[in-house]
Amino acid sequence: MGGCSSQVVPEEVAVQQQPRKQNWLVCCRHRKQSSTTKLLCSKDKDNEAVKPTPEEAKTWETDFSALLHNKYGINIFQEFLRTQYGDENLNFWIAVEEYRNISDVNTRNEMARMIYEDYVSTLSPTEISLDAKIRAAVDKQMSSPDENTFRPAQQHIYNLMYRDCFPRFVKSKTYQQLTES
């Protein structure tokens, strides 16, 4: 299990060790991509992220939600999280955003199973950090998944990223360079 609080590699070293990826949902190159990541990557492969102006990027410092709803913002935050060994958190959050928009019951059930196996299961190599109460709530919902099945877990991961990863991201060299005029 990874996470933003796990082992931290200096940003400059980690960036040198990993090639830059163009896709905004790319897992760490040292582990196999989860099935949900593969699915989401294939859906979004033709969408290019547009680099924001320095002024727009500066707004992200006080608006985490705006960062998460900007493709370039997600891409650069994803890159940073890979250096922190916490990219599974963002991958889970994005997968749940996509999942919540699925209307077909069969597709939703399959996607719920994939998200569960990739991020919630204690057997997953990309398991996210959830407390027992939240994990039990998700487990209970898995018998009949709906658009809210992962809501408590998604909110928990959002808060974890907001309180732990995001402050370090806005102090990072990568983000500071993006905001320079």
Side-chain angles (χ1 to χ4, degrees):
M1 172 174 30
C4 293
S5 298
S6 60
Q7 180 185 7
V8 177
V9 175
E11 185 180 355
E12 294 79 21
V13 173
V15 171
Q16 290 171 0
Q17 292 173 351
Q18 299 175 5
R20 292 180 70 83
K21 305 280 185 177
Q22 292 301 315
N23 200 316
W24 62 289
L25 272 178
V26 179
C27 279
C28 177
R29 70 180 182 154
H30 299 293
R31 67 181 141 168
K32 193 174 181 179
Q33 275 189 336
S34 65
S35 53
T36 50
T37 301
K38 288 179 185 176
L39 176 66
L40 294 173
C41 285
S42 67
K43 286 177 68 177
D44 199 55
K45 66 182 180 182
D46 295 327
N47 293 338
E48 287 295 319
V50 178
K51 185 175 181 177
T53 64
E55 293 75 27
E56 181 182 2
K58 285 178 186 173
T59 66
W60 297 343
E61 190 169 337
T62 58
D63 191 352
F64 184 52
S65 183
L67 169 76
L68 293 179
H69 289 91
N70 179 288
K71 288 196 187 280
Y72 194 92
I74 284 195
N75 189 8
I76 196 167
F77 190 49
Q78 180 80 18
E79 226 175 272
F80 173 77
L81 290 176
R82 275 196 307 273
T83 70
Q84 307 293 298
Y85 300 102
D87 58 328
E88 70 280 353
N89 292 323
L90 183 58
N91 288 340
F92 169 76
W93 187 88
I94 293 167
V96 173
E97 284 294 292
E98 291 288 325
Y99 167 83
R100 289 174 47 202
N101 293 317
I102 297 172
S103 57
D104 179 69
V105 175
N106 292 331
T107 305
R108 183 179 333 163
N109 288 345
E110 179 62 18
M111 184 71 165
R113 184 192 59 77
M114 287 191 306
I115 291 172
Y116 186 89
E117 289 175 2
D118 290 344
Y119 303 108
V120 180
S121 171
T122 57
L123 302 175
S124 173
T126 54
E127 176 191 4
I128 56 172
S129 180
L130 298 174
D131 62 39
K133 183 179 178 182
I134 294 173
R135 191 176 307 276
V138 172
D139 286 347
K140 185 178 179 181
Q141 289 275 357
M142 286 303 293
S143 61
S144 182
D146 64 20
E147 65 274 358
N148 296 312
T149 297
F150 298 103
R151 187 177 298 271
Q154 185 186 34
Q155 187 61 49
H156 174 76
I157 293 302
Y158 178 95
N159 290 337
L160 177 71
M161 290 189 301
Y162 178 72
R163 287 191 315 264
D164 188 34
C165 308
F166 182 62
R168 284 186 278 131
F169 169 70
V170 296
K171 293 176 185 171
S172 72
K173 183 178 178 181
T174 303
Y175 177 74
Q176 294 301 318
Q177 288 173 340
L178 185 62
T179 62
E180 293 172 357
S181 299

